Every structure is written in C-alpha cells, then in structure tokens.
C-alpha cells in the first residue's frame, strides 16, 4: 500500500499546468486565494494557449463591439498619474496605481486613496488638461479606424476620469456616450469633494458590469475586452474574449491569463483585413 505522499508525485505528473498549480497548493496546505494566484501564474500549456488565441482572434473578427481600457492601452500614460504629477504627488500616486492595476487592492480603495493624496481642484485639473495632450500607443488610431470601418461599436471603459478621456474619444471619433469612466466631484468653491461612487467603473467588478450591461441593452452577441490590467481581464466573462496588451506595461498575471496577449496593434490589424 502506497502512502499518500508517495502517490502524490505520480498524480501531479498526470495533471496539466493549471491543475498542477492547484494541486501543488493543496498539498502545501495553502488557502484558496493562493490557489487562484498560482493557477493564473501557471498559465496555459501550448495546446491550451493556441486554442485560446484562436478563440480570441475569431471573437475579434466577429465582434459586435470592442471595449478598450484607456490608460496604458489606448494611450501610453496613466491619466491619474498625469494628474498626480500636475499636483506634485506623482510618486505616491503611481505606486498605488501599480498596486491597483495588478489587482492587489480593491479598486475603489485605491481610487479614494489616490484622490485624497492629490486633493485636486477644478482650476488645477483644467490647467493639467491644457498642458497634457493625449499620447496614443503606436497604431491605436489605425486600429480604431479599422474597427469603425467594419461597423464595430467601440467603447472606452476605464477606471480613469471622464474629463481626461473625452479629448481622447473626440480624436478617435468615439461618441461621448460610449465612455464609461469616473467623475471627480467638487464643492462650490472648486475643491475636491469626492468621486461618483455610483459609477460601475469606480469599484472592483465594474468593468464586467459595464460589458454585461452593454450586451443586455444593445443585444451584442460578441464583445471583446482589450486592456493591460487585471480589472480588464475581469471583464471576461461576460466578454467573449480578453486580449491583453503589453505595449506599455507587461503585467505577469495579465500575460498569463489573457486569451491572447499582444505588444503590437499590428497583430490585431492582421486579423481585421
């Protein structure tokens, strides 16, 4: 009779990459939260990866709508970090942004902390917008134009601020009503008061809520989510596929968990001939 310990290595050898990660955590006595992280970081084996990439490409070709994250995806910058730089607190805010994008803290908590550090004013935000112009990732304008030629509806779904995203949408010819983002609230004197906590993108789970709402209200069958962060990956499901973008920042959990991970928009353009 074999002991459980002796049988474990053979059992593990029979498992695929994802199951192996979960089994290793169980044997080590780790908690379920750790299993989830280990499974994501274990990634997919070659066959699984090829299959998921194929599904993502098919979803992109057949998409009724594409939802883009904005910061570090549509543009090279993180809007909230730009705002922080304008208010002289870049380092503190950038560190919190990194933590939020890696999925290591509740998004609404990170949002509140960053805005409290900045303590923005209406006047300061307006000056910042005059100074900072959108810096698009290479090929983004062409990709959006190609999708529009194919009559694909495009949405900007962001944890950033509507006031900073509207100029980006205008350049890309995306209707303002297709922006789902956050609103900074000011008092009568133009000082920071709060942010609109009712907006779905102001909290964890907001992006899947937006995608689900769009699918229900618009009758979309195939929606693709594209972005660089863990909050973007959370939108699949209900999104049919998640395409991770690493042209600005490569986040290991996103690279491992994406159906298709790209660093260049030309890869998507090839599928949209």
């Amino acid at each position: 009779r074999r002991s459980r310990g002796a049988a474990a290595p053979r059992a593990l050898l029979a498992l695929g990459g994802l199951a192996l990660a979960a089994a290793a955590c169980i044997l080590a006595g780790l908690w379920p939260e750790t299993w989830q992280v280990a499974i994501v970081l274990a990634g997919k084996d070659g066959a699984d990866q090829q299959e998921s990439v194929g599904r993502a490409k098919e979803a992109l070709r057949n998409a009724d709508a594409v939802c883009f994250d904005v910061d570090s995806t549509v543009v090279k910058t993180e809007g909230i970090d730009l705002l922080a730089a304008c208010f002289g607190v870049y380092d503190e805010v950038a560190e919190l942004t990194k933590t939020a994008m890696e999925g290591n803290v509740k998004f609404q908590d990170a949002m509140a902390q960053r805005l409290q550090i900045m303590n923005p004013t209406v006047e300061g935000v307006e000056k910042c917008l005059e100074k900072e112009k959108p810096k698009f990732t290479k090929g983004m304008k062409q990709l959006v134009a190609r999708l529009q030629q194919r009559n694909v509806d495009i949405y900007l779904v962001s944890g950033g601020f509507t006031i900073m995203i509207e100029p980006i949408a205008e350049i890309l010819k995306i209707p303002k009503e297709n922006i789902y983002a956050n609103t900074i609230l000011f008092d009568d004197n133009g000082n920071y008061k709060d942010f609109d906590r009712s907006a779905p993108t102001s909290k964890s789970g907001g992006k899947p809520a937006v995608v689900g709402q769009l699918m229900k209200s618009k009758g979309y069958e195939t929606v693709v989510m594209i972005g660089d962060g863990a909050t973007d990956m959370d939108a699949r499901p209900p999104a049919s596929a998640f395409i991770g973008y690493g042209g600005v920042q490569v986040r290991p959990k996103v690279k491992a968990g994406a159906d298709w991970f790209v660093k260049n928009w030309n890869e998507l353009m090839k599928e949209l001939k």
Side-chain angles (χ1 to χ4, degrees), residues 5-229:
R10 294 190 180 187
L12 289 177
L13 287 173
L15 297 171
L18 299 184
L20 178 60
C25 287
I26 293 169
L27 291 174
L30 300 177
W31 294 101
E33 290 83 355
T34 310
W35 307 355
Q36 295 170 9
V37 173
I39 288 170
V40 169
L41 293 178
K44 309 176 182 74
D45 62 29
D48 287 344
Q49 183 64 45
Q50 189 173 8
E51 183 179 347
S52 70
V53 169
R55 284 198 305 268
K57 289 181 176 181
E58 182 178 7
L60 179 66
R61 291 192 296 267
N62 297 323
D64 302 307
V66 172
C67 297
F68 285 97
D69 176 39
V70 177
D71 299 329
S72 296
T73 300
V74 172
V75 294
K76 299 176 182 178
T77 51
E78 289 285 336
I80 196 164
D81 293 349
L82 280 180
L83 205 55
C86 291
F87 285 96
V89 288
Y90 174 82
D91 289 339
E92 300 96 311
V93 171
E95 186 60 32
L96 283 169
T97 299
K98 179 182 177 184
T99 301
M101 291 306 296
E102 291 175 351
N104 296 327
V105 66
K106 286 185 177 179
F107 188 83
Q108 56 269 45
D109 293 342
M111 173 74 76
Q113 291 168 1
R114 288 178 289 180
L115 284 169
Q116 286 167 3
I117 290 171
M118 278 191 285
N119 196 26
T121 62
V122 170
E123 182 181 5
V125 171
E126 289 175 348
K127 288 182 179 179
C128 191
L129 288 172
E130 289 175 7
K131 176 184 175 184
E132 298 291 344
K133 302 302 179 185
K135 297 179 178 65
F136 292 94
T137 50
K138 186 177 181 181
M140 173 49 60
K141 292 180 181 178
Q142 292 86 342
L143 175 59
V144 168
R146 178 69 57 84
L147 288 166
Q148 289 167 334
Q149 288 170 3
R150 294 168 65 94
N151 296 316
V152 177
D153 291 340
I154 299 174
Y155 296 86
L156 300 179
V157 184
S158 172
F161 303 118
T162 302
I163 194 171
M164 302 189 75
I165 295 172
E166 285 178 344
I168 294 169
E170 184 176 0
I171 293 170
L172 295 175
K173 297 181 174 60
I174 297 171
K176 284 186 179 181
E177 57 267 28
N178 287 17
I179 299 173
Y180 288 82
N182 296 307
T183 302
I184 305 174
L185 303 177
F186 299 96
D187 63 22
D188 293 339
N189 297 318
N191 296 315
Y192 173 65
K193 181 180 180 182
D194 201 354
F195 60 95
D196 182 1
R197 295 172 185 264
S198 68
T201 53
S202 71
K203 53 181 76 77
S204 298
K207 292 187 178 182
V210 169
V211 172
Q213 176 189 332
L214 288 172
M215 294 181 78
K216 184 176 181 180
S217 63
K218 302 288 187 179
Y220 297 138
E221 293 185 3
T222 305
V223 176
V224 175
M225 182 74 209
I226 301 176
D228 70 298

